[in-house]
Amino acid sequence: MSSPSVSRLAPELASQFARLALGHVAREYPNKMDHVLAGPEDVKGPRDLHPIFFGSFDWHSCVHGYWTLATVLRLCPQIPEAPAIRDLFDDAFTHAKVAAEVAYLLRPSARGFERPYGWAWLLKLQAELLLHETPWATTHRPLAQAFAQRFRDFLPIAAYPVRTGVHSSTAFALALASDYAAATSDGDLLALFEAKARDWYLADRHAQAWEPSGDDFLSPTLMTAECLRRLLPDNTFQTWFADYLPHADEARPATLFAPALVTDRTDGKIAHLDGLNLSRAWCWRALAAALPSDDPARPAMEDAAARHLAASLPHVAGDYMGEHWLASFALLALTAVDA
C-alpha cells in the first residue's frame, strides 16, 4: 500500500484512501447489521433502513468511510477522485435521506443502536463536514443533533466506563465526540464529556496494559490517555500522564510499544489488530506532541508511533475485512499532529 517510512498524508496516499472508500461506502453487501426486529415488518435490507450509511459492511464503518472521504477531500482537494466524492456527497446528504436515518433512531428498539462507537463517528463526521463550504453539514445537522442528544441522555446514567479495545470503548467515544462539541462551540456538551472523563479516568495510575486482546482495534490503555489529552487542560493532562505511564521513557509497559502481530488478514477479528497498530500510532503521536519538547518519554513514544504505523499501513488494502475500514484509522494516525 505504501512505504513504511510514510508519516504524513501525501496526495498519492490520499488518493488511494479515496479509491478504497469510494469502493465500499455504496457497496451494500456483504453486510453485518445492527438491527433489532420487533416484528416481521422490520425484515428489511440495509439500503431500505439506512439510505445514506448502507455500505461498508456495517453502519459505523460506512460513517467513517464518509469521514475519510470528506477529510482527504479537504486536505488534498486536487486528487483525481475529488469530483466523485463531491457527487457522492451531493447524492447522499439530502433532507429526505437524513430524515430517514433520523427516523430509524426513533424506533423503540434502536435505543442502543451503535452505542457508543457509531455515535462518536457520526459526530466526528459532522465536525469534518462543518469545515467544507458546501450544504452538506447543514443538511446532515439533524442526524448529528440526534446523536449528540443520545450522549446527553446516556452519559448521566453511565456509572462506569467500558474499558475495551473494541466498539464499546467509552474513552474512544468521548475522544472522538469531543471534536464535534468543539466544532459546534457546544460548551455544555464539552463540559459533560470532560466531567465524565474525569469521573471515569482521572484516578487511573500506573497502567498495567494487559493488552492486546485477540480482536482489539483500540488500545484501552492509550485510548484512556488520548481521551484525557483532549478533554483536560495541558498542565493537568501532563501531570496525570506522568503518573499514568511513569515508565514510558523506558518503553514500558513493553506491550504498548510493540506492534501487534496479525496472522490472518482474511479473518475479520484478527484483522482488527491492524487497526490496533494504526490507532496506537495515532495515540502515540498525539500524546507525544502534548508533552514538553524535552520530556524524556517523547523519543520512545515517537519511535513506537513510527513502528506501529509501519507495521500496518502497508496492509490497509488487500482483503475486504480490512479494506472496509482501515483507511480511516490510517488517516487518524497520519493526521494526528497536523490535521
Side-chain angles (χ1 to χ4, degrees):
M1 180 78 186
S2 62
S3 165
S5 64
V6 171
S7 62
R8 294 290 187 273
L9 183 69
E12 295 79 8
L13 194 55
S15 186
Q16 290 176 334
F17 289 173
R19 288 196 300 275
L20 285 173
L22 286 168
H24 62 69
V25 294
R27 176 177 172 178
E28 188 172 6
Y29 298 104
N31 202 294
K32 183 178 182 292
M33 298 176 67
D34 178 4
H35 179 53
V36 177
L37 302 176
E41 68 280 2
D42 291 334
V43 180
K44 297 178 181 178
R47 191 188 293 260
D48 291 331
L49 296 169
H50 300 291
I52 303 176
F53 304 118
F54 59 84
S56 305
F57 189 71
D58 47 43
W59 188 91
H60 53 256
S61 296
C62 196
V63 171
H64 59 80
Y66 273 89
W67 172 81
T68 297
L69 290 168
T71 303
V72 299
L73 179 63
R74 173 174 58 86
L75 296 177
C76 301
Q78 302 306 317
I79 58 174
E81 296 76 18
I85 296 172
R86 294 189 184 97
D87 288 346
L88 172 73
F89 279 38
D90 288 342
D91 180 72
F93 296 119
T94 68
H95 293 291
K97 290 180 179 180
V98 169
E101 293 278 357
V102 173
Y104 185 87
L105 300 182
L106 300 179
R107 297 160 43 95
S109 61
R111 181 181 181 184
F113 174 72
E114 291 286 352
R115 186 176 78 193
Y117 183 78
W119 298 8
W121 268 117
L122 194 287
L123 296 187
K124 177 71 167 174
L125 170 60
Q126 179 66 2
E128 176 59 40
L129 293 179
L130 286 166
L131 300 175
H132 293 255
E133 295 180 359
T134 67
W136 303 329
T138 300
T139 305
H140 187 247
R141 182 187 298 139
L143 188 58
Q145 291 174 330
F147 278 103
Q149 186 60 46
R150 296 209 155 192
F151 274 108
R152 292 187 181 95
D153 294 340
F154 173 66
L155 290 179
I157 63 172
Y160 307 104
V162 182
R163 298 175 179 271
T164 66
V166 291
H167 307 87
S168 52
S169 167
T170 47
F172 178 87
L174 292 185
L176 230 60
S178 68
D179 286 350
Y180 167 84
T184 56
S185 300
D186 191 332
D188 290 341
L189 187 60
L190 200 59
L192 175 61
F193 291 161
E194 180 181 343
K196 187 54 69 171
R198 286 176 176 269
D199 179 40
W200 282 342
Y201 307 120
L202 196 59
D204 289 5
R205 297 289 187 276
H206 295 271
Q208 297 298 302
W210 300 114
E211 57 177 90
S213 295
D215 62 359
D216 279 354
F217 61 87
L218 301 167
S219 162
T221 307
L222 296 184
M223 277 315 314
T224 295
E226 176 60 7
C227 176
L228 290 185
R229 181 194 71 81
R230 289 170 178 243
L231 290 167
L232 296 180
D234 290 347
N235 58 342
T236 305
F237 168 74
Q238 290 167 5
T239 299
W240 172 85
F241 186 79
D243 290 332
Y244 182 64
L245 287 175
H247 304 296
D249 60 322
E250 302 169 356
R252 293 193 290 130
T255 185
L256 284 180
F257 291 82
L261 172 66
V262 186
T263 58
D264 185 348
R265 292 185 167 88
T266 68
D267 183 295
K269 290 300 184 68
I270 294 175
H272 274 188
L273 293 167
D274 273 320
L276 174 65
N277 288 336
L278 295 170
S279 65
R280 278 185 174 181
W282 162 46
C283 289
W284 277 132
R285 294 186 76 190
L287 294 168
L291 300 180
S293 59
D294 60 349
D295 191 295
R298 282 191 64 155
M301 294 164 68
E302 291 166 351
D303 177 69
R307 288 187 291 111
H308 279 84
L309 189 60
S312 287
L313 186 59
H315 304 290
V316 168
D319 187 274
Y320 194 59
M321 286 297 96
E323 279 185 5
H324 78 270
W325 66 282
L326 281 173
S328 298
F329 280 74
L331 189 57
L332 285 172
L334 291 168
T335 60
V337 177
D338 53 5

